[in-house]
Amino acid sequence: MTETRRRVLLVTGSGRSGTSTVAGALSRLGLFVPPPLVEADETNPRGFYESQWVVDFHKELLNRAPVRTIDARPEAAALAARAAADPQARERLVGWLAEQDVHAQVLVKDPRAFWLHDVWRAAVPETGRELAFLTMLRHPVEVAGSRDSAYLADEAEGFRRQRATANVAAWVNGAFETEVATRGERAFVRHVDLLADWRGALGRAAEQLELTLDPAGDAAVDDFIDTRLHRARTDWDQLDVPDELRDLAERAWELMNALVDSPQDRAVAEELAGLRERYARLHDHAVAIAIDHTKAREAHVRRTVRANVERELGARTQPRRGLFRRS
């Protein structure tokens, strides 16, 4: 029997791409997800399989940048890298990982992980382990549609259109950064493959990453994976996004799919780098188009804050009626 390698597996991918499903499946197949876990909610009733400590750690670092979980800015990765370069952050992560030492295969799932890969690459070897990445892939239209149904159902149509464009842009930007961040020991799993044939999808990923999966958990995974999770079946005609963004997203999707079978394909990495430059120009043009709108909103916020401060100060300096009575 082959000895189980001591690994830390970072599970990442855009939100609503099946990261919780794959993490839940792998936990049933023998990988350890350190508790306490983030509690399930109505958007993910089967659980997130996210270690609360890691989520808090990632949020703290990204808030310093600041960088959002889904961030469309081309400079977001550089901002996150500066926040993660704090030596104290590495020391804290080493300490937390040391607490999981009894477990050979530790699974850490958080869609934010790819932003902060540098601190993981620095910390994991200090604990005598190897770092690997598993990235979930789901078509950007489906991700945007799933986010819409989960978070935006009660919003106005105009806002939902803007968020759809922002979500697709963030998916594209995240694809570029994920390809760079995960280079080395990595595997990619399509969401649709996981639901249709999890044994084939995870078997391939486990072989690529040299993970040890416990077949005793197969029945539990069968009960856990719900094929009805593939609800957001949408196409580009149902999203009102700029043509150039749609074309970039579709090509990025095709290239990321090629990494499922060939995770180290250099040609894919080179073409994605070219698309990344196109996306940066598109983003720069979008910022320029919206500059007057942005400045007007900033001015409105400043006026509102100033008015609220003046109102609060005025209320504090006004004498309270009835405090003093004539003698």
Side-chain angles (χ1 to χ4, degrees):
M1 182 176 179
T2 304
E3 183 179 355
T4 299
R5 296 172 66 180
R6 291 179 59 77
R7 314 296 296 273
V8 172
L9 179 67
L10 278 185
V11 172
T12 187
S14 62
R16 315 301 298 182
S17 66
T19 53
S20 298
T21 303
V22 77
L26 289 171
S27 72
R28 287 163 171 79
L29 295 171
L31 276 71
F32 177 70
V33 184
L37 304 184
V38 174
E39 294 185 0
D41 63 21
E42 66 277 2
T43 68
N44 206 342
R46 288 179 171 244
F48 292 91
Y49 294 90
E50 294 176 355
S51 300
Q52 186 68 60
W53 187 93
V54 172
V55 170
D56 293 342
F57 177 69
H58 284 170
K59 284 183 177 179
E60 177 188 335
L61 293 180
L62 291 181
N63 284 341
R64 294 179 190 176
V67 169
R68 300 174 62 241
T69 303
I70 54 168
D71 202 311
R73 296 173 297 165
E75 67 270 22
L79 295 172
R82 284 200 289 270
D86 180 0
Q88 291 185 350
R90 188 195 73 252
E91 292 172 5
R92 289 167 56 198
L93 181 54
V94 168
W96 181 81
L97 287 169
E99 296 174 5
Q100 325 308 326
D101 191 62
V102 68
H103 302 279
Q105 299 181 117
V106 174
L107 185 152
V108 175
K109 174 254 171 174
D110 187 4
R112 306 169 186 84
F114 73 95
W115 292 122
L116 300 164
H117 61 100
D118 285 342
V119 71
W120 286 91
R121 291 188 186 279
V124 169
E126 291 191 34
T127 66
R129 296 177 182 273
E130 300 167 296
L131 180 65
F133 292 87
L134 188 153
T135 300
M136 289 300 299
L137 298 176
R138 191 177 186 184
H139 194 281
V141 174
E142 291 196 355
V143 170
S146 182
R147 282 189 164 276
D148 187 298
S149 61
Y151 306 125
L152 305 176
D154 297 328
E155 299 290 347
E157 183 62 30
F159 181 80
R160 293 172 69 176
R161 181 177 62 252
Q162 292 176 358
R163 291 313 307 164
T165 298
N167 284 333
V168 172
W171 186 97
V172 171
N173 194 43
F176 300 147
E177 301 303 340
T178 297
E179 193 285 316
V180 173
T182 62
R183 288 175 184 173
E185 295 277 353
R186 67 182 184 182
F188 296 83
V189 174
R190 299 182 193 90
H191 179 253
V192 64
D193 291 348
L194 182 67
L195 298 185
D197 175 22
W198 71 261
R199 287 174 175 82
L202 293 187
R204 177 176 54 233
E207 182 177 352
Q208 291 168 341
L209 296 174
E210 297 185 34
L211 296 175
T212 301
L213 303 184
D214 184 358
D218 284 10
V221 177
D222 286 332
D223 291 338
F224 172 69
I225 291 185
D226 183 358
T227 57
R228 293 173 300 175
L229 292 173
H230 196 203
R231 293 184 292 265
R233 294 179 174 87
T234 53
D235 57 49
W236 286 112
D237 291 339
Q238 295 174 271
L239 285 185
D240 184 5
V241 301
D243 291 345
E244 186 174 358
L245 178 60
R246 179 200 62 209
D247 294 344
L248 279 169
E250 189 62 33
R251 185 53 184 157
W253 166 251
E254 293 170 357
L255 291 169
M256 295 297 282
N257 267 265
L259 297 175
V260 172
D261 293 317
S262 302
Q264 312 303 335
D265 193 322
R266 293 185 178 181
V268 168
E270 291 174 2
E271 186 170 349
L272 282 170
L275 291 182
R276 185 177 187 171
E277 293 180 3
R278 284 180 53 193
Y279 173 76
R281 290 195 298 273
L282 176 63
H283 185 274
D284 190 54
H285 291 158
V287 170
I289 290 170
I291 193 166
D292 290 332
H293 173 76
T294 302
K295 288 185 177 296
R297 290 195 64 177
E298 289 174 350
H300 173 72
V301 170
R302 285 196 297 269
R303 288 195 299 269
T304 301
V305 171
R306 188 182 303 116
N308 289 339
V309 169
E310 291 174 351
R311 187 181 304 111
E312 179 66 20
L313 291 175
R316 291 180 182 179
T317 57
Q318 289 294 324
R320 296 183 182 178
R321 295 181 181 179
L323 282 179
F324 303 101
R325 292 182 297 179
R326 294 180 181 178
S327 57

